Amino acid sequence: MTIPRTPGQRAGLSRQAVLTAARQLVADEGVDALTMRSLADRLGVHPNALYSHVAGKAELEEAVLDGLLADVRVPAGGGDWRTAVHALMRSTYDVLLAHPDVVPLYLGRGSRGENAQRLGAVMLELLGRGGVTGPSAVEAQSVLIVFTIGFAAFAARPGFEHQQPDARRARLDGNFDRGLAWLIDGIAGG
Amino acid sequence: MTIPRTPGQRAGLSRQAVLTAARQLVADEGVDALTMRSLADRLGVHPNALYSHVAGKAELEEAVLDGLLADVRVPAGGGDWRTAVHALMRSTYDVLLAHPDVVPLYLGRGSRGENAQRLGAVMLELLGRGGVTGPSAVEAQSVLIVFTIGFAAFAARPGFEHQQPDARRARLDGNFDRGLAWLIDGIAGG
DNA sequence: ACCTGAACACCGTTCAAGT
DNA sequence: ACCTGAACACCGTTCAAGT
């Protein structure tokens, strides 16, 4: 596409440009449309050119996923730690549901990206303020993350997002809040 | 493979034979190895021959997934409903972890198969014995299923199952039991 | 180092034809 | 109805070559 190039001519690509285009592609056409070839097409480049900026499709997807987490709102310092934990997970839930077709991709993988690590540190700090530290904190963290991603995946599951009147969605969100509260109760008490 | 056939000759396939072979393929080589072409190869048939017994790959995967749930142990009638609910979800968790590479496949989809429906009915019956009925029961059910599948996915996530000393696995299972108990407490109390 | 060109080894699915 | 044969429109990735 665009301007034809001969071998040796550069297209002015960068890792950032590739990732940005990938996110737009996912936003525009869904996660299934994210292929190395379609992404290359969008960038006006041959598919194999992407490998100069990205290790492969797996790493690309990981970067796209972690990029989403940049939108998660971190609660301001101070205030009740339990409220803060709840708010943090609720924001994560909202961000995930803002990108329904990406959520399934989240489940099979860990989240080793920088945003995931940053949010993980915030969570541990909050738990620490509640006296939950060490192995217990890591365990609590796992439970909360699994619940949140799992619930988002449930709420965003195929054939569900299309027909969701506000009432249904609100009830689902309410369920999430209740389940989350139960877990935090358990973490605080146990 | 096997005996070459000319057009018009039948291979003696059936939907059951296709599904059985698919399950064996997944068990032997993992869920990534489940392709229409490799499955056809295993059955000594051309890829398109499968479409006489299966609507497509999506339906095939759904059937394979639901088939796994046949192994879930349904707790005997009588006894505490909370204990029974816990046992039901714990058995589901165990069955899922017995097939780690299938779990990620579970998350993106609903579970509309017959085994899923049967287990769902059992769950609702148990919740009903606890006085949890109607919309609350459906909500409780969602929370429990999401938590269980989500946790199994977490425990079985790639690069995790390989290096799991018994102690680590036992601690993870303990986390599942605790989180599950918290949720059931919440359901019973709310 | 970054790209083109060409190829390899795959996919799921469809269509036409045979019996 | 159930299969072969052949094809279509895709994939991710690698290797060699140009500048």
Side-chain angles (χ1 to χ4, degrees):
Chain A
M1 299 268 170
T2 59
I3 302 160
R5 275 174 303 276
T6 59
Q9 293 188 353
R10 320 223 155 177
L13 249 50
S14 68
R15 180 176 167 87
Q16 264 310 315
V18 170
L19 294 182
T20 301
R23 279 166 201 141
Q24 283 176 350
L25 208 166
V26 170
D28 292 350
E29 310 181 39
V31 75
D32 286 340
L34 177 59
T35 68
M36 298 299 272
R37 299 184 106 98
S38 65
L39 180 57
D41 239 51
R42 189 173 269 240
L43 288 164
V45 107
H46 287 212
N48 46 0
L50 299 176
Y51 290 82
S52 296
H53 306 96
V54 153
K57 204 198 177 186
E59 196 230 0
L60 175 71
E61 285 180 343
E62 207 176 296
V64 169
L65 290 178
D66 194 71
L68 255 56
L69 295 180
D71 294 341
V72 173
R73 295 200 307 138
V74 172
D80 181 31
W81 71 273
R82 291 170 58 160
T83 308
V85 167
H86 196 117
L88 182 63
M89 297 321 286
R90 175 59 198 239
S91 177
T92 304
Y93 173 80
D94 288 336
V95 167
L96 291 178
L97 279 196
H99 308 271
D101 20 48
V102 185
V103 178
L105 246 161
Y106 252 101
L107 294 146
R109 347 186 159 258
S111 35
R112 313 183 177 284
E114 52 176 326
N115 283 319
Q117 287 182 19
R118 176 178 53 84
L119 293 173
V122 170
M123 166 79 81
L124 286 180
E125 196 270 335
L126 292 175
L127 290 172
R129 270 168 48 195
V132 182
T133 57
S136 317
V138 177
E139 293 167 6
Q141 192 181 24
S142 304
V143 171
L144 291 171
I145 292 173
V146 165
F147 180 77
T148 300
I149 297 183
F151 216 96
F154 179 79
R157 76 175 189 269
F160 217 68
E161 72 273 23
H162 298 300
Q163 173 212 22
Q164 277 207 43
D166 291 352
R168 180 128 188 57
R169 169 65 197 272
R171 203 175 57 179
L172 210 57
D173 291 356
N175 290 0
F176 171 73
D177 280 328
R178 283 173 63 186
L180 181 56
W182 294 339
L183 290 180
I184 297 177
D185 283 350
I187 291 165
Chain B
M1 299 270 168
T2 58
I3 301 162
R5 276 175 301 278
T6 60
Q9 292 188 354
R10 321 223 155 175
L13 248 51
S14 67
R15 181 176 167 85
Q16 264 311 315
V18 170
L19 293 182
T20 300
R23 280 168 201 139
Q24 283 176 348
L25 207 167
V26 170
D28 292 351
E29 309 181 40
V31 75
D32 286 340
L34 178 59
T35 68
M36 297 299 273
R37 297 183 108 97
S38 66
L39 180 57
D41 239 50
R42 190 172 268 240
L43 288 164
V45 107
H46 287 213
N48 45 1
L50 299 176
Y51 289 82
S52 295
H53 305 96
V54 153
K57 205 200 176 185
E59 196 229 2
L60 175 71
E61 285 180 341
E62 208 177 294
V64 169
L65 290 178
D66 194 71
L68 253 58
L69 296 180
D71 294 340
V72 174
R73 293 200 309 137
V74 173
D80 182 30
W81 71 273
R82 291 169 58 160
T83 309
V85 167
H86 196 116
L88 182 63
M89 298 321 287
R90 175 61 199 240
S91 177
T92 303
Y93 173 80
D94 288 336
V95 166
L96 291 177
L97 280 195
H99 307 271
D101 20 47
V102 184
V103 179
L105 245 160
Y106 252 101
L107 295 147
R109 349 189 156 254
S111 34
R112 312 182 178 285
E114 51 176 326
N115 282 319
Q117 288 183 18
R118 176 176 53 84
L119 293 173
V122 169
M123 166 79 80
L124 287 180
E125 196 270 335
L126 291 175
L127 290 172
R129 270 167 49 194
V132 182
T133 57
S136 318
V138 176
E139 292 168 7
Q141 191 182 25
S142 303
V143 171
L144 291 171
I145 292 173
V146 165
F147 180 77
T148 300
I149 297 183
F151 216 96
F154 179 79
R157 75 176 188 268
F160 216 69
E161 71 274 22
H162 297 301
Q163 172 211 23
Q164 276 208 43
D166 291 353
R168 181 130 188 55
R169 168 64 198 271
R171 203 175 57 179
L172 210 57
D173 291 357
N175 290 1
F176 171 74
D177 281 328
R178 284 173 61 186
L180 181 55
W182 293 339
L183 289 180
I184 296 177
D185 283 351
I187 290 165

